[in-house]
Amino acid sequence: MEHGRQVDLQSCADEPIHVPGSIQPHGALLFFQENGQLEGWSMNAPAMLGIAPTLGLPYAGLGLPADAVDAIADCIALRGDDDAAPLVANLRVGDTDYDCVVHAEAGRIVAEFEMRETSSEEVSRFAIKAHGSIDRLRRQKTIDALLASAVQQVREFTGFDRVMAYCFRADDSGDVVAESRRDDLVPYLGQRYPAGDIPAQARRLYTLNTLRMIPDMGYEAVPLYGAPGAAPLDMSFAVLRSVSPVHVEYLKNMGVCASMSVSIVINGRLWGLIACHHMSRKLVPHAIRMAADVLAQVMASTIHSIEARHEASLAEQSARVRTALVESLLLDDDPLDALGEHARALMAASGAQAMVATQHGKIATHGDLPAGLAEAIVASLPDNQHDLVVREMRADWPETLREQLGKWVGLLALPFDPLGHGWCILLRVEQIETVAWGGRPDKTEAIGPLGARLTPRGSFDAWHETVRGCAHPWEHSVLANSRLTLAELVRAMNAHRSQTEATRAQLLAMLGHDLRDPLHSINMAGMVLERTGNASGGGNSGQPTIGKRIQSSTNRMQRMISQVLDMSRIDRGMGLGVALEQVDLKALLVDLMDEARMAYPSIPLELVCDDPATVKADSSRLAQVLSNLLSNARHHGEPGQPVTVCLRARDGEASVAVSNAGAPIPPETVATLFNPFKRTSLNNPRNRTGMGLGLYITQQIVREHSGEIAYRYENERVVFTLRLPLAGG
C-alpha cells in the first residue's frame, strides 16, 4: 500500500491494512533480505538510531548495538522455522531505551526498535502483577466471572483508564460483556457492535497478531523507504505498523488517545478481544504487553474448557429431555400432550422463547404468540418433510407471512410425523428484542470527516439496522441435538404406530371373524321371529316388528364392519380387489332404486334421465357406490323432497348425478368431504350410525374403476356426480 492513501467508510473493507507503507513514530524499522542485506527502512531510522542506511548494506555494517545484531543474526539462522517466535532484545541508543523486536516474514527479516519509557524496575513489578493475574484467572469457573476478573486484572497491571472484554457472536457482531473503567467515564457495558466494525482483513490480523498497541492517536505516520519497484513490506506481525485512518477516527470520536487490544483466539477463530483505552498518551512496555498476551492465551484455554463443559452439559440436558419425552410418547396416546408436558425443557435446551406442536390439524402453543400466528406458521411448513426446517431471519419466510410474524423470526421445526403433518416447532425472537443494553453512550467528540457511524452510538445504530428482522442463529450444538431429538421422536412415533397397527390387526380379525358369525346367527333368528309371527297370525303382537328390527340392526352392523375392513385394505395399499366385467349401468341403477323405494316408501325417488350405458366394472362394488350415494341423499335431503337420479352417456363417458334438496355443504367440510372419520359424519343426527367412511370408500372404489366422483351445489340442490368410462369408449 502506498503511504498516505485516502480511505473512507466505503473503501475500508478493501483496505490492505497489512501493507500500510508506514509505521507509528514511537520507533524505527529496518528490513533486510534473507541474506542480511538492507532492503529498506523507516524515514526516521537514521536520526533515531544514529545510522546511515544504504540499500544492500549488510546488517552487521550498520553500526547497530551488539544485541540488535545478534538478534538479527539469530533470526536469519531460524528463518526456515515457521513456528519461531519473534526475538526480543533490550538495548540503549544514546539516551533512549529500546525494545528491539526481530521477526521473519515473507522472505524478509524485520527489525523494529520501539522506545521504552518505563524503567526496568517498573517493568519487573508489572510483570509480577501480570503473572499473579494469570493464576487468578485459571481458577474462574464461568466465562462471565473470567472476563470480569480479566478486565480488572489487565487494568491494574497496565494502568489503562478503561478495559473492556468483547465477545463475538456467530455473525461476527460483538458484545461488551465485561468492563473496568475510571468512574467518570461513560459505561459501554452491554453495547452491541456490528460485524462491519471489524472488517474481514482486520479480523484476520487480530487472529494472526494477537496484540496491537497505539500509544498516541494523534501520531503522524512515518513512511517507509525501499528499493523502487520492490514488493510492499508485509507488516502483519510488526509492532509498529501504522493503522487504518478509519480505526483512528473511530477511537478519536470516543475520546480515546491511546489503545491496546489483545485477541482471544480459540481454534483459529477470533472469539473475543480485550480492548484497553486511555484518555491521554500511553505506551505500555513490550514485556508488559507480552504478559497481557500470555494472559489472553490462558483465557482462551480456560474459555475453551468452560465452553466444552457447557457443550457437554447442554448435550446431557438434551439427552435427559429426549429420554423423558420418549417415555411420555410411548405412554401417552396423544403426542401433543407429551410434547406439551416437556415444552419448557425443550425450549430451555434449544434457547427458544416459544414452541408450537401440531399433528392432524390440531395445534398446541407454548409461549407468548399472537392469536392466529401459530396456525399461519404451521401452514407455511412443507409437506412430506423429513429433515429440520431452519429459518433465522424474516427473509427466510414466505413473503405473505412476513408482516404477520412480528418479532418471531427464528424457526427450528422438527417433522416428527410427516404423514400426519406432525411438527415440533421452536421459535426465537429477533435479536433487538434480547439485547440488554447497559447504557446509551453518545459520541464524546465531534463527528470526523469519515462518517457518523464511527461512534459508539452510531455503531449501535448500524448494528440495529443490520440485525433487524434477524434472530440469533441456531447454534451448531442446538442443531445437532435437535437432529438427535427428531430421530428419537420418529422412532417413538414408529413404535407407537406399530403398536397401533398390531392392535388394529387384532380388531380387524375380530370384526372379520368373531363378530360376523354371531351377527349372522342373530340375523337368522330375526328372520325366524318374523316368520313365526306371520305364521301364527300375530300381526298385531309386535313379533314381526321385533324381527325386522333385529334384521335391520344386524345388517347395519355388518355394513359398518365391511366398511372398516375395506378401509383397512385401502390403508395397507392392498386395494379393494375389483373384478371387472360388462355391467349394464341403467339396469343396475333401476334395481337399486326399486329396492330403495320398497325399503323407504315415504321418500320420493325419481329417475329423471336414463340413457343406456354399459361400463366395465365390478357390479357389487359399483352397487356399493350407488347405494351409498342414494343413502346419503336420503339421509341428508329435506324431508318430503324427492331424490333425483340422472344417467347420461356422452363422449365415451357415463355419468350418474344423484341430487337432493338442501343447504350447500360448508366450504371447510367440502375440503375434507372424502376423508375418513369426518367430524361432520360422526354423531350426525340424520345418520346416527355413520362413521364417515362411506364417501372415503366410495372414492377409492371409483378410482379403481378409473373414474371420478365430485360434489357441486346447483339450483338449491346438493349434487354428487359419478363418472366412469363407457365400455369400449
Side-chain angles (χ1 to χ4, degrees):
M1 176 183 175
E2 183 179 348
H3 169 65
R5 172 181 171 180
Q6 290 298 313
V7 181
D8 57 20
L9 280 175
Q10 283 68 43
S11 63
C12 71
D14 301 319
E15 183 185 359
I17 57 176
H18 64 299
V19 286
S22 60
I23 65 169
Q24 299 178 63
H26 62 284
L29 181 144
L30 307 174
F31 59 100
F32 306 86
Q33 297 175 358
E34 283 187 319
N35 60 9
Q37 292 182 338
L38 185 64
E39 191 179 2
W41 56 89
S42 61
M43 297 300 288
N44 62 351
M48 188 172 285
L49 302 178
I51 61 174
T54 304
L55 291 174
L57 189 67
Y59 68 92
L62 282 169
L64 295 171
D67 288 343
V69 173
D70 291 342
I72 295 170
D74 290 343
C75 192
I76 292 173
L78 295 170
R79 65 186 181 277
D81 185 355
D82 294 335
D83 295 327
L87 301 173
V88 182
N90 298 321
L91 48 89
R92 191 174 184 84
V93 178
D95 296 329
T96 306
D97 291 324
Y98 288 92
D99 290 317
C100 178
V101 184
V102 184
H103 73 278
E105 177 64 30
R108 286 168 165 154
I109 306 300
V110 181
E112 299 177 87
F113 300 81
E114 184 182 61
M115 293 180 182
R116 179 159 44 82
E117 302 171 351
T118 307
S119 68
S120 299
E121 292 77 10
E122 286 184 276
V123 170
S124 298
R125 287 198 300 272
F126 280 122
I128 292 171
K129 283 185 179 181
H131 287 292
S133 298
I134 290 172
D135 185 57
R136 282 191 290 273
L137 288 180
R138 284 197 177 105
R139 295 197 295 267
Q140 302 301 323
K141 302 299 183 184
T142 67
I143 292 177
D144 288 344
L146 174 71
L147 295 175
S149 177
V151 295
Q152 186 64 37
Q153 302 304 320
V154 170
R155 185 165 174 242
E156 283 183 10
F157 72 74
T158 61
F160 277 99
D161 291 334
R162 185 201 305 270
V163 179
M164 298 176 289
Y166 285 82
C167 175
F168 295 111
R169 295 177 177 265
D171 61 359
D172 290 333
S173 65
D175 298 273
V176 179
V177 293
E179 182 182 40
S180 176
R181 59 181 172 80
R182 219 171 61 191
D183 291 341
D184 61 319
L185 296 180
V186 175
Y188 292 158
L189 183 65
Q191 189 128 354
R192 182 77 63 85
Y193 295 88
D197 272 21
I198 305 180
Q201 75 275 31
R203 197 172 296 275
R204 169 185 169 274
L205 279 185
Y206 276 126
T207 305
L208 291 176
N209 190 354
T210 54
L211 196 141
R212 190 82 182 99
M213 181 77 216
I214 310 172
D216 186 358
M217 292 299 159
Y219 77 89
E220 290 189 15
V222 178
L224 300 180
Y225 172 79
L233 177 64
D234 188 333
M235 301 177 69
S236 296
F237 293 93
V239 298
L240 294 173
R241 173 173 55 86
S242 187
V243 296
S244 167
V246 175
H247 182 59
V248 170
E249 180 169 321
Y250 190 101
L251 292 173
K252 281 184 175 180
N253 286 339
M254 296 170 70
V256 175
C257 292
S259 80
M260 183 179 81
S261 60
V262 190
S263 306
I264 304 171
V265 180
I266 299 178
N267 291 332
R269 178 179 179 271
L270 185 62
W271 184 94
L273 280 177
I274 300 295
C276 308
H277 293 167
H278 208 63
M279 304 307 136
S280 59
R281 186 185 182 281
K282 183 177 184 62
L283 176 58
V284 177
H286 185 269
I288 303 301
R289 302 204 306 267
M290 291 305 99
D293 197 28
V294 171
L295 182 139
Q297 293 176 36
V298 171
M299 289 176 61
S301 175
T302 307
I303 289 168
H304 184 55
S305 298
I306 293 173
E307 286 189 331
R309 290 196 298 271
H310 180 63
E311 292 287 336
S313 176
L314 284 179
E316 184 179 350
Q317 179 187 1
S318 296
R320 287 197 302 269
V321 173
R322 283 197 299 274
T323 300
L325 178 58
V326 168
E327 289 177 356
S328 297
L329 283 169
L330 294 176
L331 295 174
D332 202 319
D333 289 336
D334 190 346
L336 300 193
D337 290 343
L339 287 167
E341 181 183 346
H342 300 280
R344 189 180 299 276
L346 285 166
M347 289 189 286
S350 59
Q353 289 83 41
M355 191 183 97
V356 176
T358 181
Q359 188 186 37
H360 299 307
K362 181 181 176 183
I363 297 176
T365 62
H366 308 273
D368 184 24
L369 290 178
L373 181 57
E375 290 79 1
I377 289 172
V378 171
S380 76
L381 294 172
D383 293 325
N384 200 29
Q385 179 76 14
H386 294 274
D387 197 8
L388 302 178
V389 174
V390 179
R391 296 170 183 169
E392 295 181 336
M393 60 185 70
R394 200 179 305 276
D396 294 338
W397 292 77
E399 190 171 356
T400 54
L401 185 55
R402 293 173 189 172
E403 290 301 319
Q404 188 179 346
L405 290 173
K407 64 183 180 180
W408 300 97
V409 296
L411 172 143
L412 176 59
L414 289 66
F416 65 85
D417 182 16
L419 292 177
H421 205 61
W423 293 87
C424 176
I425 306 164
L426 298 161
L427 298 168
R428 282 182 176 178
V429 297
E430 62 180 336
Q431 291 189 55
I432 57 174
E433 292 287 331
T434 61
V435 174
W437 191 13
R440 297 179 60 86
D442 294 321
K443 65 182 185 298
T444 54
E445 296 289 336
I447 302 300
L450 296 184
R453 200 200 75 194
L454 302 181
T455 63
R457 172 70 242 177
S459 278
F460 185 84
D461 287 342
W463 172 82
H464 193 279
E465 290 304 314
T466 300
V467 301
R468 181 173 289 279
C470 298
H472 289 295
W474 297 99
E475 298 82 359
H476 293 299
S477 58
V478 170
L479 294 175
N481 288 326
S482 295
R483 284 193 167 88
L484 292 174
T485 301
L486 175 59
E488 292 293 340
L489 286 172
V490 171
R491 192 175 295 115
M493 290 301 300
N494 288 339
H496 197 279
R497 189 175 288 111
S498 297
Q499 184 179 9
T500 303
E501 287 296 324
T503 304
R504 186 173 73 163
Q506 293 176 349
L507 174 63
L508 292 175
M510 182 186 70
L511 290 174
H513 182 268
D514 297 346
L515 287 183
R516 274 187 162 178
D517 287 347
L519 283 174
H520 181 68
S521 299
I522 294 170
N523 194 25
M524 293 296 295
M527 293 175 63
V528 170
L529 274 174
E530 184 180 0
R531 289 172 183 170
T532 302
N534 289 337
S536 63
N540 297 323
S541 65
Q543 286 182 335
T545 303
I546 293 173
K548 283 185 177 181
R549 285 183 178 176
I550 290 173
Q551 291 180 70
S552 176
S553 296
T554 55
N555 287 336
R556 201 158 49 236
M557 291 180 70
Q558 286 177 337
R559 282 197 303 273
M560 292 168 65
I561 291 171
S562 296
Q563 285 184 342
V564 172
L565 292 173
D566 284 346
M567 189 193 73
S568 176
R569 291 178 61 87
I570 294 167
D571 285 352
R572 286 181 287 172
M574 298 173 60
L576 295 171
V578 297
L580 301 181
E581 58 183 355
Q582 298 276 353
V583 175
D584 185 338
L585 185 55
K586 177 180 176 180
L588 178 62
L589 190 58
V590 168
D591 286 346
L592 291 172
M593 292 178 68
D594 286 344
E595 289 180 9
R597 288 190 187 98
M598 290 180 63
Y600 303 96
S602 62
I603 298 177
L605 192 59
E606 301 174 358
L607 183 63
V608 296
C609 51
D610 57 352
D611 292 355
T614 302
V615 296
K616 291 202 71 172
D618 185 311
S619 59
S620 61
R621 288 294 187 183
L622 189 54
Q624 184 179 347
V625 169
L626 295 170
S627 294
N628 183 263
L629 295 179
L630 292 170
S631 175
N632 284 347
R634 183 176 69 248
H635 280 120
H636 300 287
E638 293 292 338
Q641 295 296 314
V643 172
T644 64
V645 181
C646 177
L647 169 62
R648 294 287 191 192
R650 298 283 190 277
D651 302 324
E653 181 181 80
S655 67
V656 179
V658 180
S659 70
N660 62 269
I665 299 174
E668 61 272 16
T669 303
V670 171
T672 60
L673 202 53
F674 296 96
N675 292 354
F677 301 116
K678 296 179 292 296
R679 286 179 296 176
T680 52
S681 295
L682 298 174
N683 300 318
N684 189 315
R686 293 192 179 184
N687 187 21
R688 290 185 299 273
T689 61
M691 295 185 296
L693 294 177
L695 283 177
Y696 170 69
I697 295 171
T698 293
Q699 185 183 60
Q700 301 304 315
I701 294 173
V702 172
R703 286 176 176 173
E704 291 194 28
H705 284 80
S706 301
E708 63 179 29
I709 186 169
Y711 155 81
R712 72 178 187 275
Y713 189 73
E714 185 177 83
N715 299 325
E716 298 185 350
R717 296 183 71 82
V718 173
V719 183
F720 280 87
T721 303
L722 164 68
R723 290 185 173 83
L724 295 172
L726 290 169

